[in-house]
Amino acid sequence: MTEKAREAALAYHAASPAGKIAVQPTKPCDTQGDLALAYTPGVAEPVRAIEANPEDAYRYTAKGNLVAVVSDGTAVLGLGNVGPLAAKPVLEGKAVLFKRFADIDVFDLEVKATSPEQFIEIVAALEPTFGGINLEDIAAPACFVIEKALRERLSIPVFHDDQHGTAVIVCAGLLNALELQGKSLKTARIVCLGAGAAGLTSLHLLISLGAAVENMILVDSRGVVHSERTDLNSYKRVFAHTTPLRTLAEAMDGADVFIGVAAADLVDTQMVRAMAPRPVVFALANPVPEILPEVAHGARSDLIMATGRSDYPNQVNNVLGFPFIFRGALDVRARTIDAGMREAAARALAQLVREEVPDSVLRAYGVEELTFGPEYLIPKPLDPRVPLRVAPAVAAAAMASGVARRRVDLAAYADELANRLTPGRTVMSVVIQKAHASPRRVVFSEGEERKVLRAASRLREEGIAVPILLGRESVIRATLEEMRIDVPLEVVDPAVSDRRDTYAEGLHAQRARKGVTLREARELLQHPNVFGAMMVRAGDADAFVAGLTYHYPDVIRPALQVIGAAPGVSRVAGLYLMVAPDGRVVLIADPTVNVDPSAAEVADIALMAADRAREFGMEPRMALLSYSNFGSTPDVRTAKMAEATALVKARRPGLVVDGEMMADVALSPGLREEDYAFSSLAGEANVLIFPSLEAANVAYKLLQQLGGAAAIGPILMGMDRPVHVLSRGVEVSEIVNMAAIAVVDAQNVAARRGPGGTTSG
């Protein structure tokens, strides 16, 4: 590392609090009652239950989601035997990855052991604490002895990541590389340089996937591993063939595959040129591979290559494996992680790269496109779909082999996992299920945009909506063909539509008293946002969605002019659904439309937000916010929120609502019980109504930036027909979510308008 990078790394780890991990309680501990439940006397009850039935430990403690990352510090990264204490930053880092990618809690354990046997005894004695053991940075061959002994003794998964994690990712990439090169794993001639944990275990997993051991040549620091050598341990002897080959160069002559898990610069261009046609080179030494990609590609134009580095395509990164292998194993309470589970993980990763890549992944890696091919063999570590593919595949394999002690419905498990790892998905799943029941026509004014096209294809394929794309048909069809989207999608070109004259007459009739002539109406309809709004008003579409490339006013202004507010609504308003990192969900209104609403308008906004909460499957508990608690700071602004609260209670007597109150009182039942026991608000508020656009907008952005909350919205409330405005540059998934919300809105409009649900008008 450069001196600047070294200083930055040290400063990162030294910043208060030192290190990278901490322990946080998962239950409230604010009152004497909480303490009595958390410790004595309440804690005695789960103790008795577990004594009677040890499996209840998974029900009453954190064991089922707790993994030990354990090392003796004998093989830390590329630094060698630095000892257990110096290994601690690495193990803390591993803990961060477990939590960040799979929501698994970790204790890092650095063990000062004088022998493998002592290490085994120490770790084995800790079995009651953990749901799984991840062995890390232990030198070979001791790592093989340790893992084997612990697997045999313990009834929880034991997994040496340097062996099996690397092997899973290597095999996933190699399956795809060989397919692209037109070769078979069964017949491929494979050379592996490096006879440590990663190399040997990768070869064994390849054999279980179909490779032939007789086609494998293992090379260690002394050359080819062959049958005449007398210095081989039992682990290397498996690959000791009768062969005249003695050097790496000789072994690579005619080889189809090279796997390097050794050290820098051990492969030269002559060796690469000597390989078979269309070779595969996985040079995985870090930080400098056995041969640099630019050197290898300079020697051969027909090769496919992977490294362990993130600055080259096809990074073999263990974070694609171990968090999700453990996630699946823990969730079915597997006794072990067997070969079938590792194979399932490798195949799931290999398959994932054949699917369309989310925009969030493209943006994270600064690329416009990723398509299965020579430079995209392995999923990216930040791909949010990886856990949703790997963990269920591992769980299924564990149940199939009989090592699972708990059976799960795989479809329900995959959905539960997605809800757990994807903020906001639980709420949106309610909306999407409603949309599925009766898909409606959603018109997109930005029909030529690639994100909109991808979203439209998903909406159609998944039966969420019937998308209508506005734009030039020739451009849209060409882009769809280029993107290989063959889903039937309706395209309307406003410039040549046979509905232009009808829409112009309707717009003129509506806006004539606002100074709009028939000629001006025709000109206005050239703008797709006006045309899309008119389609909804005329009943040719049920909902309108736009904003990917427009500013908010450019969408909402024509929508208000053409469609307007629903009957009885004094003000159209906006709402954001905020999902906190701990899964808590709150609705915030109004952060987008009304600058300083009156008390009556605040009441309208509150009631619309309550209705929206129920559409999300939430029972609203509403707080009208201010800088005062129930009149503690008399002021015209606090009085406004008190009056709005009274109006809401009068109009909806059964609604759980109170105000005016401060945000901390709204979100903390303990604070309310202490000073405001009279409050009619029960529990933690989940619908927050702000006194002004300024306050709401600041609050939701602070929640995003400082609190790490995910924001779904802005959701427009109170329109006569469904209109929703996208935030500029949103992801495809967010466009899909907003369209689903629009479909549910359209269903509600149809229900209000009577049998048949017509929205024509």
Side-chain angles (χ1 to χ4, degrees), residues 389-555:
R389 301 294 190 277
V390 176
V394 169
M399 291 190 292
S401 68
V403 302
R405 285 174 289 197
R406 173 176 178 255
R407 300 196 68 80
V408 298
D409 177 278
L410 285 171
Y413 171 59
D415 197 52
E416 174 193 326
L417 194 65
N419 290 340
R420 179 176 190 172
L421 300 179
T422 307
R425 190 183 183 279
T426 304
V427 173
M428 282 309 305
S429 66
V430 174
V431 175
I432 288 172
Q433 286 173 14
K434 289 181 179 180
H436 273 302
S438 181
R440 300 300 167 114
R441 301 162 298 171
V442 180
V443 60
F444 294 90
S445 67
E446 296 146 303
E448 297 180 10
E449 295 294 322
R450 286 174 173 260
K451 286 183 181 180
V452 171
L453 294 177
R454 284 200 289 270
S457 69
R458 276 184 54 187
L459 290 164
R460 187 74 192 218
E461 282 183 320
E462 297 176 20
I464 298 170
V466 180
I468 302 170
L469 304 169
L470 297 188
R472 295 164 294 177
E473 183 154 11
S474 60
V475 173
I476 292 174
R477 297 298 179 196
T479 307
L480 288 170
E481 185 175 354
E482 180 188 335
M483 297 171 69
R484 292 182 238 179
I485 295 174
D486 57 4
V487 179
L489 296 171
E490 182 180 350
V491 178
V492 173
D493 186 345
V496 298
S497 170
D498 57 8
R499 297 284 283 163
R500 283 184 67 203
D501 289 342
T502 302
Y503 292 166
E505 290 167 5
L507 182 60
H508 169 59
Q510 181 188 3
R511 303 289 294 173
R513 294 282 181 179
K514 301 292 184 181
V516 176
T517 66
L518 181 59
R519 177 181 59 79
E520 289 170 336
R522 290 194 178 98
E523 291 175 356
L524 286 170
L525 282 165
Q526 293 177 15
H527 197 291
N529 288 342
V530 178
F531 193 93
M534 278 303 301
M535 287 186 71
V536 174
R537 178 176 174 80
D540 295 329
D542 301 307
F544 175 55
V545 174
L548 181 68
T549 61
Y550 293 112
H551 292 290
Y552 195 89
D554 295 333
V555 179

Side-chain angles (χ1 to χ4, degrees), residues 571-572 590-598 601 605 640 690-696:
R571 286 278 185 154
V572 169
D590 167 19
T592 59
V593 180
N594 297 288
V595 175
D596 186 17
S598 67
E601 290 165 346
I605 292 167
K640 177 180 81 171
F690 285 77
S692 67
L693 183 148
E694 181 179 40

Side-chain angles (χ1 to χ4, degrees), residues 122-210:
I122 292 170
V123 176
L126 296 169
E127 179 182 12
T129 305
F130 298 101
I133 305 290
N134 184 92
L135 300 173
E136 191 76 17
D137 293 346
I138 303 171
C143 63
F144 302 122
V145 175
I146 289 169
E147 188 196 39
K148 183 175 185 294
L150 289 173
R151 283 168 60 101
E152 290 171 352
R153 289 180 58 173
L154 305 186
S155 61
I156 58 175
V158 177
F159 186 86
H160 184 206
D161 187 44
D162 298 316
Q163 292 182 56
H164 304 296
T166 301
V168 165
I169 316 307
V170 166
C171 291
L174 195 55
L175 287 171
N176 284 335
L178 286 171
E179 179 182 326
L180 288 168
Q181 296 292 58
K183 298 188 178 188
S184 162
L185 181 60
K186 184 176 181 179
T187 59
R189 184 164 171 263
I190 300 170
V191 174
C192 179
L193 174 60
L200 291 170
T201 308
S202 294
L203 293 182
H204 280 293
L205 187 56
L206 285 169
I207 291 169
S208 70
L209 288 166

Side-chain angles (χ1 to χ4, degrees), residues 272-468:
V272 174
R273 291 192 187 103
M275 294 179 73
R278 305 181 312 283
V280 177
V281 175
F282 278 26
L284 307 179
N286 257 327
V288 181
E290 288 79 3
I291 184 170
L292 288 166
E294 53 266 34
V295 176
H297 285 296
R300 294 285 293 264
S301 61
D302 62 343
L303 67 76
I304 288 178
M305 187 160 183
T307 71
R309 287 173 44 158
S310 60
D311 53 345
Y312 291 108
N314 302 323
Q315 183 192 18
V316 174
N317 190 329
N318 285 19
V319 79
L320 287 165
F322 69 84
F324 319 119
I325 293 170
F326 267 101
R327 181 75 276 157
L330 292 174
D331 290 339
V332 295
R333 297 181 193 166
R335 295 180 179 86
T336 186
I337 295 172
D338 60 20
M341 296 161 74
R342 298 192 293 271
E343 290 174 33
R347 293 190 187 279
L349 287 169
Q351 184 60 37
L352 180 56
V353 296
R354 297 152 196 268
E355 301 179 19
E356 184 181 348
V357 179
D359 287 315
S360 60
V361 178
L362 300 179
R363 190 174 65 245
Y365 290 93
V367 296
E368 292 187 2
E369 189 174 19
L370 282 172
T371 306
F372 175 49
E375 294 196 342
Y376 182 52
L377 304 171
I378 307 167
K380 297 294 187 181
L382 295 178
D383 191 326
R385 302 169 301 166
V386 173
L388 309 183
R389 301 294 190 277
V390 176
V394 169
M399 291 190 292
S401 68
V403 302
R405 285 174 289 197
R406 173 176 178 255
R407 300 196 68 80
V408 298
D409 177 278
L410 285 171
Y413 171 59
D415 197 52
E416 174 193 326
L417 194 65
N419 290 340
R420 179 176 190 172
L421 300 179
T422 307
R425 190 183 183 279
T426 304
V427 173
M428 282 309 305
S429 66
V430 174
V431 175
I432 288 172
Q433 286 173 14
K434 289 181 179 180
H436 273 302
S438 181
R440 300 300 167 114
R441 301 162 298 171
V442 180
V443 60
F444 294 90
S445 67
E446 296 146 303
E448 297 180 10
E449 295 294 322
R450 286 174 173 260
K451 286 183 181 180
V452 171
L453 294 177
R454 284 200 289 270
S457 69
R458 276 184 54 187
L459 290 164
R460 187 74 192 218
E461 282 183 320
E462 297 176 20
I464 298 170
V466 180
I468 302 170

Side-chain angles (χ1 to χ4, degrees), residues 57-122:
Y58 288 96
R59 181 179 183 184
Y60 295 120
T61 77
K63 176 182 174 73
N65 196 52
L66 186 61
V67 166
V69 177
V70 193
S71 179
D72 62 359
T74 54
V76 177
L77 298 178
L79 304 173
N81 187 359
V82 299
L85 184 59
K88 190 171 180 65
V90 177
L91 270 61
E92 284 190 354
K94 201 82 170 191
V96 170
L97 298 179
F98 266 110
K99 188 65 178 178
R100 162 64 177 81
F101 289 101
D103 192 29
I104 293 173
D105 297 314
V106 165
F107 289 160
D108 63 295
L109 302 176
E110 296 75 30
V111 177
K112 188 176 182 180
T114 57
S115 67
E117 291 73 25
Q118 186 186 28
F119 186 95
I120 291 165
E121 291 302 321
I122 292 170

Side-chain angles (χ1 to χ4, degrees), residues 623 625-629 661-668 671 685 688 690:
L625 301 182
S626 185
Y627 55 87
S628 167
N629 287 316
M661 67 178 72
M662 296 183 187
D664 56 347
V665 173
L667 295 173
S668 173
L671 285 177
L688 305 178
F690 285 77

